[in-house]
Amino acid sequence: MSKFPADFMIGAATAAHQVEGHNIYSDFWAMEHVPNSVYKEPSLDAVDHYHRYEEDILLLRNAGCNTYRFSIEWARIEPVKGEFNEQEIEHYRNVLNFCHRHSITPVVTLHHFSSPKWLISEGGWESEATIESFGKYCRYVVSRLGQLIPYICTINEANMGKQITKIMKRMMSAGTHKKKDTADVQVGLNVDMGTRMEHYYRELGETFGIDPSKVQPFLAPRSKQGELIIMKCHETARSIIKELHPAIQVGITFSLYDHQALPGGEVSVRKEQQEDLLDYLPFLQEDDFLGVQNYSRKIHGPEGVVPPDDTARLTKMGYENYPAALGNVLDFVALHWSKPIFITENGLSTDNDEERVEFIKQALNGVYRRIEKGIPVIGYTYWSLLDNFEWQLGYDQTFGLIAVDRSTQTRHPKESLSVLGTISVGGLEG
């Protein structure tokens, strides 16, 4: 058996809006409910994790896992600007205390894509004012809950806006939509809705009370100024966390592909790696760890990214099922980052749980080999604990270790949950 270090964290992750339900003060709730929404369906009660978190965390713990990464929902904490909801703080206090009582290490994300509706009405993630607003939210949460939180990810996939920007540019330069480009991004987006987008954005302008061109949620194409605002939000949050609770380990997470070059594709690979991670490193020097989120690889030729060939196995998301990608990404990150690395997301959307089991074993074999090489990987949280709301793609995607019958909210643990827990307790076979 290949056993991970005794203090290695293995578990699963969720995001508040995708699992809790009835996140009515959030920008996503608003975007899901306009008449020409590009969302396949609204989130509604999601998988009711808000009320069923004890059951879900116990399923994780009883399988043998020791870590749960989840997000605190800003729109619940501050539904109206400047008005903080103490009842919601108590809810998350209960979640954290339940984790500790059951020997689960909680890893908290302060922002996982969804924002308060009022924030978008004030300019969202392209507004300098968001830096101060995010700081106030972070101060409120950490001042009340910080003693219960050992690890904080300030912002989930800080580079996602840049990745969306690149997709949109490729689509515009192509002039047609011969192929859906959803496989080019590691999140559930509909990016080829054509003229419907015009109606959608007009309605968003009305919903948020601003010019439609000024609607800037987190999952949107981002300017260079917007990129800087994200990094300033992170630096502000880190400073506040360290001021209030210096022992909390602070990091940020990035969506990272395993970029591989065919002959002539080397320049394209270097460009993508620079844009995906290296551009951000100057802002991370005071961080305690780096959150790595990987799902697949991208192959580059002389003209840029090339689609998988006909022999490639694809996930339900449309990108390649390639578990070896994670280890390769760790190799790349370790060339530029010497502090601890936390794999905060890695997973597979499939209706065949045997594929998920195979994916987890192969991905974690790659992680184990990198730890043996001396790469300081401290944890792995599979995405996701539960089948859940995959943003614009709705409920069709099945990443979870636990299936949910949403008509009754009944949980059905999959074999993959047991396998992950067994690896946590006893290690990998062979």
Side-chain angles (χ1 to χ4, degrees):
M1 300 291 283
S2 301
K3 196 161 186 180
F4 286 92
D7 58 351
F8 191 75
M9 292 173 277
I10 292 184
T14 62
H17 187 79
Q18 294 176 269
V19 296
E20 287 182 343
H22 295 287
N23 189 19
I24 61 175
Y25 300 108
S26 73
D27 56 347
F28 277 94
W29 186 271
M31 292 186 289
E32 292 161 21
H33 283 87
V34 298
N36 281 286
S37 178
V38 299
Y39 287 75
K40 180 176 180 182
E41 57 192 319
S43 54
L44 302 179
D45 57 354
V47 292
D48 197 29
H49 183 66
Y50 188 90
H51 298 106
R52 298 168 186 264
Y53 67 86
E54 292 184 356
E55 176 185 0
D56 296 335
I57 293 169
L58 280 178
L59 286 170
L60 184 69
R61 172 68 265 180
N62 291 341
C65 296
N66 59 30
T67 303
Y68 179 39
R69 175 181 174 237
F70 64 94
S71 69
I72 290 176
E73 181 54 58
W74 185 0
R76 292 189 190 275
I77 301 297
E78 192 180 4
V80 177
K81 185 179 181 181
E83 297 182 12
F84 295 95
N85 190 324
E86 194 67 33
Q87 283 184 303
E88 296 292 358
I89 281 289
E90 287 307 305
H91 168 77
Y92 290 110
R93 185 189 307 279
N94 291 339
V95 176
L96 288 160
N97 279 325
F98 191 82
C99 286
H100 288 293
R101 284 201 303 274
H102 294 277
S103 302
I104 290 285
T105 299
V107 179
V108 168
T109 304
L110 291 175
H111 187 271
H112 195 128
F113 294 164
S114 50
S115 308
K117 182 182 174 184
W118 61 260
L119 188 84
I120 310 307
S121 296
E122 295 196 350
W125 294 94
E126 290 284 342
S127 171
E128 288 273 356
T130 294
I131 301 166
E132 181 180 0
S133 296
F134 187 62
K136 288 179 178 178
Y137 155 67
C138 293
R139 181 174 293 279
Y140 182 80
V141 170
V142 176
S143 66
R144 283 155 178 79
L145 301 179
Q147 71 277 9
L148 296 172
I149 306 175
Y151 294 89
I152 286 180
C153 307
T154 59
I155 295 171
N156 182 69
E157 294 187 336
N159 58 344
M160 183 54 69
K162 184 188 288 185
Q163 293 186 346
I164 294 170
T165 302
K166 289 190 284 190
I167 291 170
M168 295 304 184
K169 286 181 177 177
R170 280 201 293 271
M171 288 174 63
M172 289 173 67
S173 65
T176 61
H177 299 156
K178 293 179 182 176
K179 165 187 170 291
K180 285 190 176 183
D181 274 303
T182 50
D184 277 356
V185 66
Q186 296 187 147
V187 66
L189 296 179
N190 291 318
V191 294
D192 62 346
M193 300 294 285
T195 56
R196 184 172 173 183
M197 293 293 283
E198 297 175 21
H199 300 292
Y200 173 60
Y201 270 95
R202 190 177 305 120
E203 291 164 359
L204 291 188
E206 295 170 1
T207 296
F208 291 107
I210 57 176
D211 185 315
S213 67
K214 304 295 184 186
V215 176
Q216 293 292 338
F218 193 87
L219 289 184
R222 194 171 298 146
S223 69
K224 289 184 179 180
Q225 172 69 8
E227 289 289 314
L228 188 58
I229 286 167
I230 298 289
M231 288 297 100
K232 286 183 177 178
C233 284
H234 169 64
E235 291 180 323
T236 297
R238 182 183 62 207
S239 176
I240 289 167
I241 295 163
K242 290 299 185 181
E243 170 199 334
L244 295 173
H245 289 278
I248 295 176
Q249 300 296 287
V250 182
I252 188 170
T253 83
F254 290 89
S255 167
L256 300 176
Y257 283 91
D258 171 19
H259 293 291
Q260 300 182 5
L262 298 172
E266 295 81 5
V267 171
S268 179
V269 164
R270 287 194 295 270
K271 181 176 184 293
E272 291 275 339
Q273 291 174 333
Q274 183 70 37
E275 292 175 348
D276 279 358
L277 179 64
L278 303 185
D279 284 346
Y280 299 94
L281 291 180
F283 301 97
L284 313 183
Q285 296 309 302
E286 296 178 34
D287 287 14
D288 298 304
F289 69 92
L290 180 69
V292 167
Q293 306 196 170
N294 166 261
Y295 290 84
S296 189
R297 67 174 172 175
K298 283 188 178 180
I299 299 172
H300 298 252
E303 305 301 319
V305 176
V306 299
D309 64 33
D310 292 339
T311 65
R313 290 193 301 165
L314 301 182
T315 73
K316 286 179 70 176
M317 288 286 286
Y319 45 66
E320 187 178 0
N321 176 349
Y322 189 74
L326 179 58
N328 296 337
V329 167
L330 293 174
D331 288 335
F332 164 70
V333 170
L335 295 174
H336 306 278
W337 179 262
S338 59
K339 293 182 183 180
I341 298 168
F342 201 131
I343 301 157
T344 41
E345 288 183 26
N346 174 250
L348 183 72
S349 179
T350 178
D351 292 325
N352 181 350
D353 196 50
E354 291 181 2
E355 290 184 344
R356 183 175 295 102
V357 167
E358 176 195 6
F359 182 94
I360 289 171
K361 288 180 177 179
Q362 290 189 25
L364 279 171
N365 262 304
V367 174
Y368 182 83
R369 291 197 302 273
R370 270 63 181 194
I371 292 172
E372 283 194 311
K373 284 171 52 178
I375 296 178
V377 186
I378 61 171
Y380 173 96
T381 49
Y382 174 87
W383 182 270
S384 173
L385 177 61
L386 300 144
D387 287 341
N388 59 41
F389 182 72
E390 185 56 36
W391 310 110
Q392 291 181 3
L393 302 182
Y395 288 102
D396 282 353
Q397 297 299 321
T398 47
F399 282 95
L401 301 169
I402 301 169
V404 181
D405 178 350
R406 292 187 61 247
S407 66
T408 61
Q409 297 294 3
T410 303
R411 273 54 177 155
H412 299 282
K414 304 174 188 178
E415 177 65 18
S416 51
L417 174 61
S418 175
V419 168
L420 185 65
T422 298
I423 293 170
S424 177
V425 173
L428 291 153
E429 295 179 359

